[in-house]
Amino acid sequence: VRNWLLAPSNFVAAAAQGCAAGVAAGMGKKPKAAEAPMEAGEGEDAASGVAVAAAGPWVCEGCEQENGPEDAECIACEAPRPAAAPNSGDARFEGYVVGLLLTISPVPGKDKLRVVEVDVGEEKPLKIVTNAGNVKEGSRVVVAKVGAIVNDEPLKKANVGGVPSEGMLCDGAMLGWSGGGAGAVLLPDSFEVGGPPPDARPRTDGK
């Protein structure tokens, strides 16, 4: 795994709650369907092929009807089951978020290092030292924040080239992606700042 921070080696469902059937019936909702054992492929909506939230009972956000794990849509209002966010169920990617690169500055005396300010959807941007040469202001990147697991170790705040660094810009190998060139991962503008990274390398050619 490439180290785009040049930092030391100290790197980096929700159970749905619902009412009992009797209470639901008293509120004018349909009783929850009997739960059936999950089989291979039931983690997807068979009609659409879209991955759904983690297996288990789920509660409709629109009408608060409790539904069984096998239900691809709400049994009361027929709203579709919410899709799972990319990587949201993978503990390996806790602390990994989409970031928007705001500024780039050189690190004095270090030709290959730059300090970047990255908006990760928090009150203040993070300052990260990187040697990734393919980023520019306005790039959307994947950031491993302090505490995220990298190389089986939690990422710690560190001084890199004499400058405090509060995270790491990720390359594809860190995320388990195949293909792509060297440097930090670059994402299309459609990815929300502060949101989870995709679980596979997205296309950037608009197709």
Side-chain angles (χ1 to χ4, degrees):
V1 176
R2 299 182 184 86
N3 178 0
W4 298 112
L5 244 187
L6 298 183
S9 60
N10 293 331
F11 290 117
V12 158
Q17 291 184 329
C19 301
V23 175
M27 297 176 65
K29 300 173 184 175
K30 296 182 181 180
K32 182 179 73 67
E35 297 181 8
M38 289 290 290
E39 298 179 0
E42 287 189 357
E44 294 183 349
D45 181 337
S48 64
V50 175
V52 295
W58 58 282
V59 177
C60 176
E61 296 180 357
C63 69
E64 299 184 353
Q65 168 69 43
E66 183 181 2
N67 299 276
E70 73 284 357
D71 295 319
E73 61 183 27
C74 178
I75 61 175
C77 69
E78 300 184 349
R81 182 174 183 163
N87 286 331
S88 63
D90 194 335
R92 295 176 301 165
F93 295 104
E94 292 182 7
Y96 288 68
V97 297
V98 175
L100 177 64
L101 204 150
L102 302 176
T103 65
I104 303 177
S105 304
V107 174
K110 304 292 181 180
D111 293 341
K112 295 184 178 180
L113 294 183
R114 298 185 291 175
V115 58
V116 298
E117 286 190 325
V118 188
D119 178 4
V120 293
E122 298 177 354
E123 183 177 353
K124 296 181 179 180
L126 300 181
K127 291 186 176 182
I128 297 175
V129 179
T130 180
N131 66 350
N134 65 324
V135 296
K136 60 183 180 180
E137 293 180 1
S139 293
R140 270 178 165 74
V141 295
V142 176
V143 174
K145 300 192 296 183
V146 170
I149 302 300
V150 175
N151 292 341
D152 300 322
E153 295 286 343
L155 181 63
K156 296 181 179 180
K157 185 175 181 178
N159 283 332
V160 182
V163 178
S165 186
E166 303 172 306
M168 184 175 181
L169 303 189
C170 301
D171 65 2
M174 288 178 60
L175 301 170
W177 298 356
S178 59
V185 163
L186 300 179
L187 301 176
D189 292 345
S190 56
F191 284 88
E192 181 182 0
V193 172
D199 54 10
R201 188 182 299 277
R203 296 183 69 109
T204 57
D205 55 9
K207 297 181 180 179

